[in-house]
Amino acid sequence: MGTYDTLNDKQQEAVYYTDGPLLILAGAGSGKTRVLTHRVAYLIEERGINPWNILAITFTNKAAGEMRDRVDNLVEYGSESVWVSTFHSMCVRILRRHIGLLGYDTNFTIYDADDQKTLMRDVCKLLNIDTKRFRERTLISAVSSAKNEFITAEEYRQQAGGDYMLKRQADVYEEYEKQLRANNALDFDDLLVKTVQLFQTQADVLEYYQNRFRYIMVDEYQDTNTVQFELVRLLASKYRNLCVVGDDDQSIYKFRGANIKNILNFEEFFPDAKVVRLEQNYRSTGNILNVANAVIRNNNGRKEKTLWTDNGEGEKIRLRQFDTAYDEAEYIVSDIKKDVDNGDCTYNSHAVLYRTNAQSRMLEEKLVTANVPYKIVGGVNFYARREIKDLLAYLKTVDNGRDDLSVRRIVNVPRRGIGLTSINRVQEYAASREIGFYDALQGADLIPGIGRGVKKLESFVALIEHFKADAKEMGIADLMDEIIEETGYVESLEAEDSEDAEARIENIDELRSKIAAYEELCEEQDEPATLSGFLEEVALVADIDSLDESTDYVVLMTLHSAKGLEFPRVYLAGMEDGLFPSYMSVTAEDMEELEEERRLCYVGITRAEERLTFTCARKRMVRGEVQYNRMSRFIKEVPAELMSAGEVFKKEEKKVPDQTGFESAKQAAVRQARQAFKTRAFAAQKPVRQFGKLSEGGLSYGVGDRVRHIKFGEGMVANIIEGGRDYEVTVDFDGAGRKKMFAGFAKLEKI
């Protein structure tokens, strides 16, 4: 029994309990993978179970690979016969053998996300669906959610009742399914749904797999959805040797369909289930765990467990509040540098975690300036992101038409029907005349063989020339807004229906904040804010290629990406209400959204092994405007004796005015609430987009009102159309004539 002596009492209890349902509540860092792999070994070596009667299900291929290796190392004979698989790959194997019983050919095609988009586009065309009202991404998401909840197209229609929007979605769902069937294709959700249908309708097939998989283990059980639960329940219903492992406190994937009730209500489905709590943590110090316990205790939807450790108490949690996000980033980088310079640790001992991808920009700039190597995990360096490169290319073209790379990058972005053939002809013409690409565009009608493309090229040049004229009259931030509005760049991102459109729009907002900060700095220093100056500053901090790409680097990542990882020293940045927890979760009517954010905070805290630092800023620039933020409610849930506020920068203390001259958090909240809930003439069902942020409330003006625009002057609102994330406003301007614009970008002021 020597193999199992290394396990603690609770881990051994979980390994030795092999018959009947078992729920292992495995707290963060409590060695759950060890328990699972030792349990497989115990079943084979001590209980004499055939390896091919054991099924272990994980969520990712990486986790499956790791478990496979560890089982192979533990078990000398027969381990290769254990099925270690993800849900989807297990279902594919089953369907390839038996899907004929559901009327499909066994050589079915599996549609990926791109195929799904193409198919949904065809369905929308066929049904004459207005994709401005019903976004393709929203429709795909609705169908996916229905499948995850095991709701058929027929049931979806019945549930829609008299709701027009839901009835149209039901039409789409039905047609989408019809097309899939006609193409002998399944999407990823179908792999699970069809396997459950197979088991529900073919008793002999179900019995075959029940006999095959007499012992079933499921990892990361808190991330399962309704269909996955049903699949596991059916497979385990004969022998009932089902072991599920998870941590309800780390359920952070509700947006992907995870149903936390699967783990919370496990004992309702299996009343005779044994529950083993793994509460001993091998990763973190006592103080870090006490903070994690104190925060997560505020959630109602959870199972009681308290992490503890033999690792000693360790340092207190460091709390640092700054005047601005700029100071916050400066502190984090200088603190890391100080640690490394003192020889305390290496760069890769440090991770900076944040709620949204856009927060990385300020940190990256500071790291580059301080010559600290870093790597963004699960993301792309801010200035290397497509949308940032595109918009900077517009600014560069306006500033300097000789930058051929920038001009070529945006000539057909967003798509304006200028094909590669036309671009190549322009390129050849420019090379033969030894002139720049943009110069060649300006004389596009002279280019041989350009044909019908000339009109589109000429309108692109007219657009750039229009921006150049504006650049002389307006500031950089306004120019940026003008470019976004007139090119329809954000609209084109939304129309792509890609999952990351929201994150890309957040990044554009962050670029606006960067521009506003630059203009503010120039004003403070009494220098002109020029487009060239801004682009020069960006070029200096965006030179990330020169970084030393050795393995020793600081890691930057979002909290969602950090799950499952651990680092000696962790910074949780941007701990402010409105940012983390997010504005949407704070204002949501039910508490579930906020509880999900709190679980995300718990995940962040438990990534730290030795030292944890919370940082926050009193004011932060968001979408180019200063927001005053209160310290996150999650910090306030931590007992004061577990934290050390420490000495914050001396210069920062001087900077912060006395509360009498500084807007308090309460005043700021009241001001923001007033802004958000202005009385509105035009009632809205949907939130209005204010530079990428969904803010509650409608417009402060309606049809027939007089309004003012920063560039076009005064005019009267002729029409307002709700367009998904924003309103399209038509205004008859006194001087500039009729203009159509998006409310979020137009910033119209009611007179």
Side-chain angles (χ1 to χ4, degrees), residues 248-249 251 260 293-304 591-592 594-600 602 634 637:
D248 47 305
D249 291 333
S251 179
I260 193 172
N293 290 329
V295 171
I296 202 65
R297 207 168 281 133
N298 292 277
N299 270 8
N300 293 320
R302 68 182 292 261
K303 289 186 172 286
E304 185 52 46
M591 292 299 287
E592 280 188 22
L594 187 60
E595 294 211 347
E596 177 105 348
E597 291 278 299
R598 192 176 279 111
R599 291 194 291 271
L600 196 52
Y602 174 82
F634 299 150
E637 291 168 356

Side-chain angles (χ1 to χ4, degrees), residues 481-749:
D481 295 348
E482 175 92 343
I483 288 170
I484 291 168
E485 186 185 317
E486 304 242 341
T487 60
Y489 190 87
V490 166
E491 266 180 279
S492 76
L493 278 183
E494 291 171 339
E496 275 179 19
D497 281 329
S498 62
E499 273 180 34
D500 55 6
E502 197 70 53
R504 291 188 183 283
I505 291 166
E506 280 177 6
N507 291 331
I508 292 171
D509 295 338
E510 183 57 27
L511 180 64
R512 281 197 84 262
S513 292
K514 167 73 182 165
I515 293 170
Y518 167 76
E519 290 184 324
E520 215 174 81
L521 187 69
C522 289
E523 200 177 313
E524 277 174 25
Q525 296 173 348
D526 212 17
E527 288 175 4
T530 64
L531 183 52
S532 306
F534 171 71
L535 291 168
E536 190 178 297
E537 184 172 296
V538 165
L540 292 174
V541 293
D543 185 19
I544 38 195
D545 299 333
S546 61
L547 274 180
D548 171 24
E549 275 299 318
S550 64
T551 51
D552 188 21
Y553 42 68
V554 175
V555 173
L556 305 184
M557 65 171 82
T558 63
L559 286 148
H560 278 103
S561 304
K563 188 167 175 287
L565 303 174
E566 54 194 50
F567 304 91
R569 301 182 179 200
V570 168
Y571 297 84
L572 286 191
M575 295 288 288
E576 299 135 36
D577 264 25
L579 188 58
F580 189 40
S582 70
Y583 174 76
M584 300 301 263
S585 68
V586 172
T587 53
E589 282 180 27
D590 63 23
M591 292 299 287
E592 280 188 22
E593 299 286 332
L594 187 60
E595 294 211 347
E596 177 105 348
E597 291 278 299
R598 192 176 279 111
R599 291 194 291 271
L600 196 52
C601 182
Y602 174 82
V603 165
I605 292 167
T606 53
R607 297 313 93 200
E609 296 171 341
E610 300 164 11
R611 179 190 285 175
L612 175 64
T613 307
F614 290 137
T615 65
C616 55
R618 292 183 181 88
K619 56 184 184 185
R620 184 179 295 272
M621 202 178 274
V622 182
R623 292 170 302 283
E625 293 167 9
V626 174
Q627 277 191 5
Y628 293 88
N629 299 323
R630 279 189 271 192
M631 192 180 283
S632 171
R633 64 194 62 199
F634 299 150
I635 292 178
K636 292 175 181 167
E637 291 168 356
V638 177
E641 64 271 16
L642 295 176
M643 290 196 292
S644 84
E647 75 305 330
V648 181
F649 285 158
K650 287 281 186 284
K651 67 169 189 176
E652 200 240 356
E653 283 169 9
K654 283 177 201 163
K655 260 195 213 170
V656 181
D658 183 82
Q659 278 299 324
T660 51
F662 189 77
E663 184 174 21
S664 72
K666 189 174 179 184
Q667 289 166 329
V670 170
R671 178 179 56 77
Q672 284 172 351
R674 277 198 191 125
Q675 273 178 334
F677 299 101
K678 280 177 184 166
T679 51
R680 56 200 194 274
F682 178 73
Q685 294 295 309
K686 295 237 177 114
V688 184
R689 208 176 87 70
Q690 297 274 332
F691 293 105
K693 179 179 176 184
L694 290 163
S695 60
E696 295 293 322
L699 301 173
S700 59
Y701 49 84
V703 174
D705 283 343
R706 297 280 297 166
V707 291
R708 182 182 293 112
H709 184 274
I710 191 164
K711 180 180 163 211
F712 303 128
E714 293 182 8
M716 184 179 282
V717 179
N719 193 17
I720 298 176
I721 301 169
E722 190 183 347
R725 290 166 51 92
D726 205 344
Y727 298 99
E728 188 184 85
V729 184
T730 306
V731 182
D732 289 325
F733 288 104
D734 302 346
R738 177 164 281 210
K739 299 276 182 189
K740 278 188 182 178
M741 56 197 76
F742 277 97
F745 292 107
K747 293 195 285 190
L748 295 168
E749 209 180 298

Side-chain angles (χ1 to χ4, degrees), residues 288-572:
I288 290 169
L289 297 181
N290 290 340
V291 168
N293 290 329
V295 171
I296 202 65
R297 207 168 281 133
N298 292 277
N299 270 8
N300 293 320
R302 68 182 292 261
K303 289 186 172 286
E304 185 52 46
K305 72 182 93 56
T306 304
L307 295 179
W308 62 276
T309 185
D310 281 337
N311 293 347
E313 277 193 8
E315 289 182 35
K316 285 190 175 183
I317 279 52
R318 305 187 311 166
L319 169 62
R320 302 287 186 268
Q321 186 176 23
F322 301 93
D323 186 19
T324 66
Y326 180 94
D327 293 336
E328 176 192 49
E330 198 165 77
Y331 167 77
I332 291 172
V333 174
S334 67
D335 198 50
I336 292 171
K337 209 164 166 48
K338 188 176 73 186
D339 281 356
V340 175
D341 290 347
N342 290 347
D344 290 352
C345 53
T346 52
Y347 286 122
N348 59 13
S349 305
H350 302 85
V352 187
L353 310 180
Y354 36 76
R355 181 67 183 82
T356 66
N357 270 308
Q359 284 170 261
S360 74
R361 196 266 305 172
M362 189 94 67
L363 289 159
E364 286 183 72
E365 292 190 3
K366 292 285 162 222
L367 289 160
V368 171
T369 311
N371 203 21
V372 172
Y374 71 93
K375 183 177 184 180
I376 293 192
V377 175
V380 182
N381 290 328
F382 184 80
Y383 290 106
R385 288 172 188 157
R386 186 188 82 199
E387 61 281 7
I388 301 303
K389 288 186 92 156
D390 286 347
L391 292 175
L392 287 175
Y394 267 103
L395 290 178
K396 286 174 185 173
T397 301
V398 170
D399 184 52
N400 165 24
R402 291 192 302 276
D403 183 347
D404 282 5
L405 277 180
S406 292
V407 182
R408 284 204 336 252
R409 182 179 181 94
I410 56 164
V411 70
N412 195 38
V413 173
R415 290 204 180 104
R416 43 177 74 93
I418 298 170
L420 206 54
T421 313
S422 297
I423 292 171
N424 289 338
R425 288 210 169 111
V426 176
Q427 187 66 40
E428 285 160 16
Y429 179 77
S432 68
R433 292 282 186 288
E434 293 187 346
I435 57 174
F437 189 86
Y438 189 70
D439 293 336
L441 285 179
Q442 286 179 300
D445 55 329
L446 303 172
I447 299 172
I450 203 73
R452 285 179 301 174
V454 72
K455 285 271 184 292
K456 290 165 184 167
L457 294 174
E458 283 175 346
S459 66
F460 170 71
V461 170
L463 185 69
I464 297 299
E465 291 302 313
H466 162 65
F467 292 149
K468 283 186 175 182
D470 285 346
K472 290 173 185 156
E473 307 295 324
M474 56 173 63
I476 310 163
D478 291 330
L479 174 66
M480 182 87 273
D481 295 348
E482 175 92 343
I483 288 170
I484 291 168
E485 186 185 317
E486 304 242 341
T487 60
Y489 190 87
V490 166
E491 266 180 279
S492 76
L493 278 183
E494 291 171 339
E496 275 179 19
D497 281 329
S498 62
E499 273 180 34
D500 55 6
E502 197 70 53
R504 291 188 183 283
I505 291 166
E506 280 177 6
N507 291 331
I508 292 171
D509 295 338
E510 183 57 27
L511 180 64
R512 281 197 84 262
S513 292
K514 167 73 182 165
I515 293 170
Y518 167 76
E519 290 184 324
E520 215 174 81
L521 187 69
C522 289
E523 200 177 313
E524 277 174 25
Q525 296 173 348
D526 212 17
E527 288 175 4
T530 64
L531 183 52
S532 306
F534 171 71
L535 291 168
E536 190 178 297
E537 184 172 296
V538 165
L540 292 174
V541 293
D543 185 19
I544 38 195
D545 299 333
S546 61
L547 274 180
D548 171 24
E549 275 299 318
S550 64
T551 51
D552 188 21
Y553 42 68
V554 175
V555 173
L556 305 184
M557 65 171 82
T558 63
L559 286 148
H560 278 103
S561 304
K563 188 167 175 287
L565 303 174
E566 54 194 50
F567 304 91
R569 301 182 179 200
V570 168
Y571 297 84
L572 286 191

Side-chain angles (χ1 to χ4, degrees), residues 192-233:
L192 301 168
V193 170
K194 298 296 175 200
T195 308
V196 171
Q197 284 176 352
L198 181 73
F199 288 163
Q200 285 175 337
T201 57
Q202 312 295 324
D204 53 336
V205 176
L206 174 60
E207 193 174 8
Y208 169 81
Y209 283 103
Q210 287 173 335
N211 289 331
R212 172 74 200 267
F213 302 128
R214 295 182 185 219
Y215 290 85
I216 299 170
M217 281 171 264
V218 185
D219 194 12
E220 302 287 6
Y221 192 66
Q222 75 280 349
D223 294 334
T224 52
N225 60 32
T226 304
V227 176
Q228 287 162 335
F229 167 78
E230 189 56 21
L231 183 67
V232 169
R233 191 191 67 75

